[in-house]
């Protein structure tokens, strides 16, 4: 989930390119713009031609009227004009269908989303926080069913990853000292570009305004030319790569103004997304609310490595709140200011990234979107994971293993396999230190949403904290027999360096000691041949002259009993709120009531994540049936099955409909003192089961030990005569 940080931390020290040259460079490297669908391009050209014909014919009609031509002549010209207008309307409809992607109009998607959100808020899955005070954008409260769904998702996450993979779970503070986030790069680089309304001061994300403008033009303005449409698509494709200057230039070029007031906007400038605070009453220890949970794991690596018996590989996991002060939060649960992350840091020897359990997932096939397919304008294709690793599309087995495990986790939760893809980061998206990165993207009414990031971050994080803290966050491989190795030895002569550089001595010494073998041997050769060498000291921001006698560089043979190295990190990072929202959309559908006069809402949650596993109610309000319902409730409680009991006098159909809308998978109806019916939500099929069996059967169903098909084949079927789904 750190694609933004990855992109920002990967920026080089070179100066910004001009807008034109930068876009050309991006295009030449990525070929990011997929060719405009031939049908859309031809339709836009046809529409432009038809509009020109309509204008020309209209001018002709006006000229005939001005010349007082005969009525038959004018009528014929008007008929021809109307015919052209009908042809133009037909082309507009075709073009509208083309720009909608062939999968329904934006209006349809918006209507579906609104139906889902209305149901979620009305049934208290989630609501805006502090609602009675008009709320605060980007903050939401989970209600009882929402809390239950979230708890079930996290419980399954722990089972699927922490327990099955023997991970070490930690729980670290949300408040993080500045020094930690300075080392990680967040303090300097964790920013988005912002613009302000010059009159009201209202803030907006610059890239969002440009993105919205281009999408609006492409989807709703059918009059733009094919060339202009291509330009807008290029801007969308290169949006993440634009500098502040380039974003500002595009905003001015397109005349983009404040969406609320139509006032002019400021130039874009960076805004750090972290919430700042101070630790302690004196205010002398600056801190931040953590923007991710991972740093707590990295800084504890040394202790976790010891706890694990000084053995690699191992993984540490953490579930917790993270905070990002989003400039203009939108899209409900998809972009919020406080959210739950579940992150894994799998530490592995950089020389051996094989995985002993890769064979368990290598057979999986699912939609993958490698960078080559993105660059050539192709779509995601169904790919075998084993083949993707074997071909090098996925960098290594450990990364591939976690991609497979993430796929299994999401699909078992109830995410539609056809609307889940794994997209590889393009070269410009990845940090220079990253070996490979993939995002699990889920399609919903907002488009493809990044919900899980799976990245091979190499050894960057541990090295950064080692350098800043002075504590070596390393692992060791002990040799059975000592090995003779040739080691590079760099010995700065501090006295000579001090005389030459005085107050800068420490920084020059540190830079010399940090040289790579290639840099050191090049300097040695230069010193021997010329007596001096020009050397860039990054911390000084300038090149200095190192003279012979300031440093000794040699190679020595040594016997080593172990290899000390900084482990690489494979990081799957899960945005729990995003996953849950996509699950809500994927599970939602409507079906007609029994009388067909109303559409009823249903959430088809798998039993695994359903907020309530079953409902219990008497068929009618009779003491003997109510006693049976109470007895079954006690049996379910003892079995640990979450349920609700409904003794209201509503019709059984209304009670079914009410629980279907909460996504309850099973309903138990007490209509006898010896046996009961169990109804399955989506099929509405019912079976009869003895009271003594009911709790164990529902428990098996909800825990996945049995399926409804198993129960359907083993027990007598029940035909409803009790007003199933009757809303009257």
């Amino acid at each position: 989930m750190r694609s933004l940080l990855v992109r920002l931390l990967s920026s080089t020290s070179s100066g910004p390119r001009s807008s034109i040259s930068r876009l050309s460079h991006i295009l030449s490297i990525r070929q990011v713009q997929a060719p405009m669908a031939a049908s859309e391009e031809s339709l836009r050209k046809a529409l432009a031609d038809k509009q020109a014909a309509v204008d020309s014919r209209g001018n002709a009609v006006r000229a005939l009227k001005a010349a007082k031509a005969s009525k038959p002549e004018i009528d014929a010209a008007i008929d021809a004009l109307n015919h052209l207008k009908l042809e133009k309307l037909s082309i507009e409809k075709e073009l509208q269908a083309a720009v909608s992607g062939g999968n329904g109009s934006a209006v349809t998607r918006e209507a579906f989303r609104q139906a889902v959100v209305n149901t979620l808020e009305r049934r208290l899955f989630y609501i805006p926080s502090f609602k009675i005070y008009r709320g605060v954008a980007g903050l939401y409260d989970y209600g009882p069913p929402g809390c239950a769904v979230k708890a079930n998702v996290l419980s399954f996450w722990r089972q699927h990853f922490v327990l099955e993979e023997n991970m070490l779970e930690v729980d670290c503070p949300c408040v993080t000292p500045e020094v930690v986030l300075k080392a990680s790069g967040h303090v300097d680089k964790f920013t988005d570009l912002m613009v302000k309304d010059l009159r009201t001061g209202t803030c907006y994300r610059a890239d969002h305004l440009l993105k919205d403008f281009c999408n609006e033009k492409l989807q709703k303005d059918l009059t733009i030319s094919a060339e202009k449409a291509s330009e807008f698509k290029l801007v969308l494709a290169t949006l993440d790569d634009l500098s502040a200057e380039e974003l500002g230039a595009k905003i001015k070029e397109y005349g983009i103004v404040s969406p609320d007031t139509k006032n002019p906007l400021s130039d874009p400038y960076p805004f750090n997304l972290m919430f700042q605070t101070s630790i302690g009453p004196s205010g002398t220890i600056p801190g931040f609310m953590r923007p991710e949970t991972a740093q707590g794991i990295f800084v504890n690596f040394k202790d976790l490595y010891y706890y694990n018996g000084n053995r690699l590989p191992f993984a540490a996991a953490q579930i917790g709140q993270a905070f990002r002060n989003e400039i203009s939060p939108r899209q409900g649960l998809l972009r919020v200011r406080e959210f739950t992350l579940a992150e894994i840091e799998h530490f592995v020897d950089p020389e051996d990234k094989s995985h002993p359990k890769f064979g368990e997932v290598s057979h999986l096939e699912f939609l993958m979107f490698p960078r080559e397919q993105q660059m050539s304008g192709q779509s995601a294709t169904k790919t075998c994971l084993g083949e993707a690793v074997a071909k090098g599309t996925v960098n290594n087995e450990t990364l591939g293993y976690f991609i497979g495990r993430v796929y299994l986790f999401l699909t078992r939760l109830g995410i539609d396999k056809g609307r889940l893809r794994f997209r590889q980061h393009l070269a410009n998206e990845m940090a220079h230190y990253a070996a490979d990165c993939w995002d699990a993207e889920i399609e919903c009414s907002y488009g493809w949403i990044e919900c899980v990031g799976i990245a091979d971050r190499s050894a960057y994080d541990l090295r950064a904290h080692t350098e800043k803290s002075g504590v070596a966050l390393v692992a060791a491989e002990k040799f059975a027999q000592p090995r003779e190795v040739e080691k590079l030895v760099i010995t700065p002569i501090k006295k000579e360096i001090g005389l030459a550089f005085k107050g800068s001595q420490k920084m020059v010494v540190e830079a010399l000691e940090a040289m790579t073998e290639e840099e050191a041997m090049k300097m040695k050769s230069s010193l021997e041949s010329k007596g001096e060498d020009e050397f860039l000291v990054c911390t000084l921001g300038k090149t200095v002259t190192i003279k012979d006698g300031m440093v000794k560089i040699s190679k020595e043979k040594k016997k080593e009993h172990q290899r000390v190295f900084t482990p690489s990190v494979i990081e799957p990072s899960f945005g729990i709120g995003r996953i849950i929202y996509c699950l809500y959309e994927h599970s939602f559908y409507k079906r007609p009531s029994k009388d067909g006069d109303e559409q009823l809402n249903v959430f088809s949650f798998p039993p695994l994540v359903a907020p309530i596993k079953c409902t219990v109610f008497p068929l009618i309000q009779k003491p003997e049936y109510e006693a049976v319902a109470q007895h079954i409730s006690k049996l379910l409680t003892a079995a640990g099955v979450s349920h609700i009991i409904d003794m209201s006098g509503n019709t059984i159909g209304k009670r079914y409909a009410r629980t279907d809308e909460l996504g309850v998978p099973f309903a138990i109806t007490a209509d006898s003192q010896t046996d009961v019916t169990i109804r399955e939500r989506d099929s509405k099929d019912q079976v009869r089961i003895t009271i003594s069996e009911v709790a164990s059967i529902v428990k098996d169903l909800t825990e996945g030990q049995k399926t409804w098909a198993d129960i359907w084949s083993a027990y007598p079927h029940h035909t409803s005569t009790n007003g199933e789904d009757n809303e009257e």
Side-chain angles (χ1 to χ4, degrees), residues 75-89:
D75 289 345
I78 291 173
D79 286 342
L81 175 61
N82 289 336
H83 181 71
L84 284 172
K85 287 182 177 179
L86 287 173
E87 289 178 345
K88 175 177 169 256
L89 181 61

Side-chain angles (χ1 to χ4, degrees), residues 430-621:
M430 292 204 306
H432 62 277
Y433 53 78
D436 197 6
C437 301
W438 293 75
D439 288 338
E441 296 182 334
I442 303 173
E443 188 181 28
C444 68
S445 63
Y446 290 105
W448 288 98
I449 303 299
E450 173 199 345
C451 293
V452 186
I454 310 115
D456 182 339
R457 296 177 56 80
S458 298
Y460 170 80
D461 302 280
L462 294 182
R463 282 177 178 157
H465 287 298
T466 294
E467 182 179 342
K468 191 72 175 177
S469 68
V471 177
L473 302 178
V474 296
E477 176 195 7
K478 293 187 177 180
F479 302 141
Q481 296 293 331
R483 297 180 185 177
E484 189 172 82
V485 295
E486 195 173 52
K487 301 286 287 185
L488 175 70
V489 179
I490 300 172
T491 309
I493 309 303
K494 294 182 180 179
K495 180 180 178 182
E496 297 297 325
I497 293 172
L499 290 171
F501 301 107
K502 298 183 170 53
S504 301
Q505 177 198 38
K506 182 181 178 184
M507 285 181 279
V508 175
V509 168
E510 289 175 347
L512 288 169
E513 290 175 337
M515 283 191 295
T516 64
E517 183 172 336
E518 182 181 354
E519 291 170 333
M521 298 314 293
K522 184 180 177 183
M523 177 178 284
K524 177 179 170 69
S525 175
S526 181
L527 291 174
E528 290 174 350
S529 62
K530 297 187 295 184
E532 63 182 36
D533 185 52
E534 297 300 308
F535 180 58
L536 175 64
V537 180
C538 294
T539 49
L540 288 176
K542 64 179 181 179
T543 299
V544 300
T545 301
I546 301 296
K547 295 185 178 294
D548 191 24
M550 290 185 180
V551 62
K552 290 182 180 179
I553 301 170
S554 62
K555 283 191 172 182
E556 298 178 3
K557 288 187 176 180
K558 292 184 177 181
K559 282 191 175 182
E560 288 191 343
H561 296 268
Q562 63 180 8
R563 177 175 70 95
V564 178
F565 59 92
T566 304
S568 286
V569 177
I570 311 293
E571 179 194 68
S573 179
F574 300 74
I576 298 302
R578 290 185 171 194
I579 293 170
I580 289 173
Y581 179 77
C582 291
L583 177 63
Y584 288 152
E585 281 206 9
H586 286 204
S587 301
F588 183 81
Y589 68 96
K590 288 177 176 283
R591 64 183 174 203
S593 62
K594 185 176 181 181
D595 294 336
D597 59 349
E598 188 176 356
Q599 290 293 310
L600 305 177
N601 300 325
V602 183
F603 281 108
S604 59
F605 299 127
L608 177 73
V609 296
I612 300 159
K613 306 308 181 187
C614 73
T615 52
V616 183
F617 29 70
L619 177 60
I620 54 176
Q621 287 185 307

Side-chain angles (χ1 to χ4, degrees), residues 364-417:
L364 294 174
E365 291 187 5
F366 44 79
L367 289 175
M368 299 191 77
F369 203 11
R371 62 173 66 98
E372 291 77 13
Q373 289 175 218
Q374 298 173 58
M375 291 163 63
S376 60
Q378 300 176 54
S379 301
T381 54
K382 201 169 185 181
T383 306
C384 174
L385 180 58
E387 290 179 10
V389 172
K391 291 177 180 177
T393 305
V394 175
N395 185 268
N396 57 76
E397 280 191 2
T398 298
L399 184 64
Y401 178 72
F402 279 106
I403 289 173
R405 291 291 289 168
V406 168
Y407 170 79
L408 292 174
F409 170 74
L410 293 174
T411 53
R412 288 173 184 171
L413 282 182
I415 296 300
D416 182 355
K417 295 178 182 179

Side-chain angles (χ1 to χ4, degrees), residues 17 19-33 234 237-243 246 375 426 428:
R17 302 183 183 94
S19 179
I20 295 174
S21 64
R22 182 180 173 90
L23 282 172
S24 300
H25 176 74
I26 293 164
L27 186 56
S28 65
I29 293 176
R30 293 174 60 187
Q31 299 174 359
V32 287
Q33 186 189 12
L234 175 59
T238 58
L239 196 59
D240 289 340
D241 302 286
L242 299 182
S243 67
E246 292 159 359
M375 291 163 63
L426 296 165
N428 69 297

Side-chain angles (χ1 to χ4, degrees), residues 14 280 323 465 480 657:
S14 59
F323 307 82
H465 287 298

Side-chain angles (χ1 to χ4, degrees), residues 313-327:
F314 76 90
Q318 181 169 196
I319 297 170
Q321 295 302 98
F323 307 82
R324 296 182 188 178
N325 195 12
E326 294 285 352
I327 295 167

